[in-house]
């Protein structure tokens, strides 16, 4: 059958699928064109063409492209695209279909694979000078200059060509040639933006030494420079890296791997889409990060990982200025308790208060707060600056040393009372006041508590044997 007759029959069959009235007209057209004696052949051909009218479905990994979505999906995309221009009645197209689907599935998340019914959407076919079917074009860095695919028609050949084109595009970007990239933008990975100073760039050569041999926790992003989602994630990842480094003292690190260049790592960890984020902890298999992609989401997950692996926070006694300064300046908040004098509680009473503090420090350890305590009267200037001063022990204040503001515990000094106080602080609620004088006062250097009960001071005995009390009484009279 000639291609002209094929198109006439395809048109007639397409009409027959829409409504019954058109079916009768289509049948009459076919009969008129081919003759009554060829009615059976026309009917069989109609059935055939209706069956192959659509080579791809929404369940396939091949993206159906039309004049409506082609510009947005392909021309405005940072991804590399392989696009097949086909006609449903074309035998070569039908034989290519299963291979094209397999290639699309294999390349999912790496290269976009699309298809245009150029018989139906002739404007797109004409725009790209499609003169035969199937025609395959590669839309790389320069979307305005598509290249003809001249390779084999097997899924393996198609995949190899796609990866080769991707590699070429990456090398062009590394050398500073954008190839007319349609968005006109470069990511900070390409232009060396210093905002990413806290993101560790890893390669096939540096990965094992830095990550697998480390005691730290690593969150590693595998990205492709042309990936739009990766570019959206990039500023969030960079901001999170800086915050996580500060809050965990470098114990949790954020890193990035260019998966299009470092093929060994890409294969080792089965990277099939971008961006992929994996969590690495010493002695454990890597796991996928499945949280949100905002700075806050990433930081929250990183701090959870840190707290799971972090030792219990230290609870330090304020015995000199250095302890107060180093603890409060190194943390977002420092929690300071003023406990009753040892003579008022004894060792057991003091230990019960310290135990409550340690439980709360453990509960809130992901906040990376500092925890301090002092005995009532030992640091009276500090008490006064925090509005505690002289009564109401035990007391507690949460201090932000950077802003020199504090909040006071107003509830009971118990697990429940302190938990409610700290929970309010952690969500940004609660009233605050400035530290008196805008700075920490003078801190006394004192001896640390020895863990024992207090002892009353020893008083000298007074010998009254030589005192004539009778004379005192006469004088008073």
């Amino acid at each position: 059958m000639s291609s002209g007759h094929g198109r006439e029959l395809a048109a007639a069959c397409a009409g027959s699928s829409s409504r019954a009235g058109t079916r009768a007209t289509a049948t009459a057209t076919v009969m008129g064109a081919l003759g009554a004696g060829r009615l059976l052949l026309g009917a069989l051909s109609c059935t055939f063409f209706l069956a192959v009218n659509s080579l791809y479905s929404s369940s396939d990994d091949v993206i159906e492209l039309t004049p409506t979505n082609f510009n947005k999906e392909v021309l405005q995309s940072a991804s590399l695209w392989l696009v097949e221009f086909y006609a449903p009645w074309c035998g070569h197209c039908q034989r290519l279909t299963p291979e094209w689907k397999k290639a699309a599935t294999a390349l999912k998340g790496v290269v976009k694979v699309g298809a245009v019914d150029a018989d139906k959407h002739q404007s797109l076919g004409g725009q790209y000078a499609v003169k035969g079917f199937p025609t395959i074009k590669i839309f790389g860095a320069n979307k305005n200059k598509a290249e003809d695919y001249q390779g084999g028609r097997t899924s393996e050949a198609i995949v190899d060509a796609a990866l080769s084109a991707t590699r070429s595009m990456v090398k062009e970007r590394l050398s500073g040639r954008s190839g007319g990239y349609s968005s006109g933008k470069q990511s900070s990975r390409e232009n060396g933006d210093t905002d990413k100073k806290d993101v560790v760039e890893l390669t096939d050569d540096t990965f094992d030494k830095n990550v697998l041999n480390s005691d730290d926790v690593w969150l590693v992003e595998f990205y492709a420079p042309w990936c739009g989602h990766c570019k959206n994630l990039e500023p969030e990842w960079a901001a999170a890296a800086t915050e996580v480094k500060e809050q965990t003292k470098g114990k949790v690190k954020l890193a990035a791997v260019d998966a299009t260049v470092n093929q060994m790592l890409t294969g080792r960890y089965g990277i099939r889409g971008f961006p992929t984020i994996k969590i690495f902890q010493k002695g454990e298999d890597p796991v996928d990060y499945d949280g949100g992609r905002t700075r806050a989401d990433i930081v929250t997950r990183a701090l959870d990982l840190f707290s799971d692996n972090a030792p219990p926070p230290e609870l330090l006694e304020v015995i000199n200025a250095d302890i107060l300064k180093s603890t409060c300046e190194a943390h977002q908040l420092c929690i300071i308790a003023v406990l009753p004098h040892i003579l008022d509680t004894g060792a057991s009473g003091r230990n019960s208060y310290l135990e409550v503090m340690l439980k709360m420090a453990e509960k809130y350890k992901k906040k990376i707060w500092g925890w301090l305590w002092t005995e009532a009267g030992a640091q009276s200037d500090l008490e006064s600056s925090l509005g505690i001063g002289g009564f109401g022990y035990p007391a507690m204040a949460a201090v932000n040393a950077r802003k020199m503001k504090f909040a006071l515990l107003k509830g009971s000094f118990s697990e429940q009372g302190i938990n409610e106080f700290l929970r309010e602080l952690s969500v940004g609620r609660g009233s605050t006041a400035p530290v008196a004088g805008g700075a920490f006062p003078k801190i006394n250097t004192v001896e640390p508590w020895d863990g024992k009960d207090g002892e009353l001071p020893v008083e000298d005995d007074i010998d009254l044997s030589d005192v004539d009390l009778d004379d005192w009484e006469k004088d008073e009279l």
Side-chain angles (χ1 to χ4, degrees):
M1 183 184 297
S2 70
S3 61
H5 286 152
R7 289 188 179 88
E8 289 175 6
L9 186 53
C13 293
S16 70
S17 66
S18 59
R19 54 186 181 274
T22 306
R23 182 181 295 111
T25 303
T27 303
T29 302
V30 173
M31 289 176 64
L34 303 177
R38 300 171 67 184
L39 175 60
L40 178 59
L41 176 60
L44 291 173
S45 299
C46 244
T47 302
F48 175 75
F49 279 103
L50 283 172
V52 300
N53 192 45
S54 180
L55 299 185
Y56 303 101
S57 69
S58 59
S59 62
D60 298 323
D61 292 320
V62 178
I63 300 171
E64 287 267 28
L65 298 168
T66 68
T68 303
N69 67 2
F70 193 90
N71 185 63
K72 179 180 179 181
E73 290 285 346
V74 180
L75 301 185
Q76 295 181 17
S77 168
S79 302
L80 185 140
W81 278 81
L82 268 64
V83 179
E84 174 203 5
F85 294 81
Y86 72 93
W89 46 262
C90 162
H92 292 301
C93 303
Q94 294 161 21
R95 285 190 289 274
L96 174 63
T97 297
E99 300 298 317
W100 197 247
K101 290 180 180 179
K102 281 197 284 186
T105 299
L107 292 167
K108 188 175 182 179
V110 180
V111 173
K112 299 289 185 68
V113 178
V116 175
D117 183 344
D119 197 41
K120 181 178 180 181
H121 306 298
Q122 295 183 11
S123 61
L124 273 179
Q127 182 177 339
Y128 293 100
V130 174
K131 300 190 181 296
F133 303 119
T135 291
I136 300 173
K137 289 187 177 286
I138 302 173
F139 293 80
N142 187 350
K143 296 296 191 293
N144 296 319
K145 190 178 180 180
E147 298 178 12
D148 288 326
Y149 170 76
Q150 303 291 351
R153 300 298 172 90
T154 65
S155 58
E156 291 83 2
I158 295 164
V159 168
D160 287 343
L163 295 179
S164 178
T166 301
R167 194 174 295 110
S168 297
M169 186 169 68
V170 171
K171 288 181 178 178
E172 285 182 359
R173 290 175 178 172
L174 285 174
S175 65
R177 292 178 289 128
S178 66
Y181 172 52
S182 59
S183 74
K185 296 179 181 178
Q186 281 187 303
S187 72
S188 61
R189 291 187 176 111
E190 295 169 5
N191 62 25
D193 195 328
T194 56
D195 287 345
K196 286 182 56 60
K197 59 184 175 63
D198 294 317
V199 176
V200 182
E201 289 284 347
L202 298 169
T203 67
D204 286 341
D205 296 328
T206 64
F207 188 90
D208 290 1
K209 178 180 179 181
N210 282 281
V211 179
L212 301 187
N213 297 332
S214 171
D215 292 327
D216 300 329
V217 178
W218 287 76
L219 278 72
V220 181
E221 175 206 0
F222 294 83
Y223 71 91
W226 43 259
C227 163
H229 292 302
C230 302
K231 292 179 181 179
N232 292 336
L233 173 64
E234 189 174 349
E236 303 294 327
W237 196 248
T242 298
E243 186 169 344
V244 169
K245 180 181 179 181
E246 179 181 341
Q247 294 205 39
T248 68
K249 301 295 180 282
K251 294 299 183 181
V252 179
K253 294 180 171 62
L254 271 63
V257 173
D258 184 342
T260 63
V261 173
N262 300 285
Q263 295 288 321
M264 185 270 287
L265 290 173
T266 302
R268 179 198 290 179
Y269 296 112
I271 307 303
R272 299 187 179 278
F274 305 117
T276 292
I277 300 171
K278 288 186 175 289
I279 300 168
F280 294 84
Q281 299 183 77
K282 189 171 185 178
E284 300 182 17
D285 292 333
V287 297
D288 289 333
Y289 169 86
D290 55 3
R293 301 295 176 88
T294 67
R295 177 201 57 79
D297 292 328
I298 298 164
V299 169
T300 298
R301 184 72 178 99
L303 294 183
D304 285 341
L305 290 166
F306 175 72
S307 63
D308 291 343
N309 293 275
E314 285 188 288
L315 176 56
L316 302 174
E317 183 181 4
V318 182
I319 59 174
N320 56 50
D322 287 342
I323 288 179
L324 177 69
K325 181 179 179 181
S326 61
T327 302
C328 290
E329 289 185 353
H331 300 88
Q332 182 183 14
L333 290 179
C334 56
I335 312 301
I336 304 175
V338 182
L339 303 182
H341 196 281
I342 190 63
L343 293 176
D344 294 329
T345 62
S348 62
R350 174 168 290 180
N351 283 326
S352 67
Y353 288 132
L354 294 176
E355 183 65 27
V356 169
M357 290 191 70
L358 286 171
K359 287 182 178 179
M360 290 297 99
E362 175 71 23
K363 182 179 179 67
Y364 287 90
K365 68 178 181 178
K366 68 173 61 176
K367 298 296 184 182
I368 325 295
W369 293 338
W371 294 80
L372 299 169
W373 71 276
T374 184
E375 181 180 76
Q379 306 293 348
S380 55
D381 289 342
L382 178 61
E383 292 182 40
S384 298
S385 70
L386 300 178
I388 295 173
F391 64 92
Y393 304 113
M396 177 177 285
V399 182
N400 184 326
R402 297 177 186 177
K403 297 182 179 180
M404 275 297 154
K405 290 187 176 182
F406 71 93
L408 283 178
L409 168 67
K410 296 180 180 178
S412 63
F413 198 100
S414 63
E415 289 185 40
Q416 180 179 353
I418 296 173
N419 182 52
E420 291 176 358
F421 171 58
L422 298 179
R423 187 173 58 201
E424 292 291 301
L425 289 178
S426 66
V427 296
R429 292 199 293 263
S431 59
T432 62
V435 174
F440 285 128
K442 178 183 177 182
I443 300 300
N444 300 322
T445 298
V446 298
E447 291 295 320
W449 179 46
D450 59 8
K452 300 178 181 179
D453 287 326
E455 296 181 1
L456 289 170
V458 178
E459 297 181 358
D460 295 332
D461 293 333
I462 300 176
D463 184 3
L464 300 178
S465 60
D466 295 334
V467 177
D468 188 349
L469 297 179
D470 291 338
D471 292 343
W472 280 15
E473 290 176 0
K474 292 177 181 178
D475 291 342
E476 288 176 358
L477 295 173

